[in-house]
Amino acid sequence: MSEQDTGPAGAEATSTGPQGDGVPVVALRPSLEAVLMVADQPLDAVSLATAVRHPVADVVAALQLLAEEYAEQGRGFELRHVAGGWRYYTREEHAAVVEAFVLEGQSARLTQAALETLAVVAYKQPVSRARVSAVRGVNVDGVMRTLLARGLVEEAGNDAETGAHLYRTTTYFLERIGVTSLDELPELAPYLPDMDDLEDDLEGVAAAAAPRTGPGTEPDGGTEPT
């Protein structure tokens, strides 16, 4: 196990354990912070030790020191050990500020144009943006960007023939409409135009893929204020 040097220079000894491979222990805490910053779930000490290549005991000690330092410095976040792992959390006293930031802009309702575009994606997925435009008869670039930003649709690979990006709805979309699978969607697909009937329109839509102005373009980004 490595030992930390707490001398006046503030330097730390190198880790000589089998996991350390001579990597300076001074890099341990910044490395842990970097890994924890991108984690989407609590990480246990063993996983973190593997990631930063330091002994588990050193990692646990460093995590405890980080948690204490954040508390002493009054940071807006804290490092907690929960559910058998470590993860960053915002401090409870700042919950109101975080909530206001997260919800800002989310109260804006989707416009009718965005809802119609979302419906086409839901029933025809995976589908390209050009095909959605062909179904709706307008350029949907703006509303598609909004749907992507809101987490309602996502990329789903590329079309084998054209190479165009394909899109599908997300699990968040299912949560928002209260269903567990696409099979529970109402039977509306038969009322949408058949894709085979749209081939003649696609070339023209593809040629007009760049943003344009005029009656054939959505005038907004897909949301409207409440």
Side-chain angles (χ1 to χ4, degrees), residues 179-213:
V179 300
T180 57
S181 73
L182 294 172
D183 295 334
E184 298 179 36
L185 291 176
E187 293 294 330
L188 296 179
Y191 299 99
L192 293 174
D194 189 272
M195 287 300 177
D196 293 335
D197 299 333
L198 299 174
E199 297 300 330
D200 293 339
D201 299 329
L202 292 181
E203 291 185 5
V205 173
R212 64 186 190 276
T213 57

Side-chain angles (χ1 to χ4, degrees), residues 56-222:
V56 174
D58 289 358
V59 167
V60 172
L63 289 168
Q64 292 171 341
L65 285 174
L66 283 172
E68 293 172 4
E69 287 179 4
Y70 296 151
E72 293 173 358
Q73 296 169 1
R75 298 290 186 90
F77 59 90
E78 60 186 337
L79 181 58
R80 298 184 198 167
H81 184 235
V82 294
W86 296 81
R87 188 179 184 184
Y88 284 124
Y89 292 86
T90 55
R91 292 194 180 278
E92 185 175 356
E93 54 264 39
H94 304 301
V97 176
V98 175
E99 181 179 7
F101 171 76
V102 172
L103 295 180
E104 183 179 359
Q106 296 301 308
S107 59
R109 294 191 301 263
L110 291 177
T111 62
Q112 184 64 32
L115 290 173
E116 292 173 3
T117 300
L118 183 57
V120 175
V121 175
Y123 284 103
K124 294 297 185 179
Q125 62 185 306
V127 61
S128 68
R129 191 175 302 192
R131 288 181 177 270
V132 176
S133 294
V135 171
R136 296 212 50 240
V138 293
N139 185 306
V140 298
D141 286 355
V143 290
M144 283 294 286
R145 283 193 294 270
T146 295
L147 296 177
L148 284 164
R150 297 283 285 268
L152 295 169
V153 302
E154 62 185 1
E155 290 190 7
N158 300 87
D159 186 275
E161 296 181 0
T162 65
H165 291 302
L166 298 177
Y167 298 89
R168 65 188 174 198
T169 53
T170 62
T171 54
Y172 176 64
F173 163 76
L174 297 178
E175 294 173 10
R176 294 295 295 173
I177 65 173
V179 300
T180 57
S181 73
L182 294 172
D183 295 334
E184 298 179 36
L185 291 176
E187 293 294 330
L188 296 179
Y191 299 99
L192 293 174
D194 189 272
M195 287 300 177
D196 293 335
D197 299 333
L198 299 174
E199 297 300 330
D200 293 339
D201 299 329
L202 292 181
E203 291 185 5
V205 173
R212 64 186 190 276
T213 57
T217 305
E218 296 293 359
D220 57 70

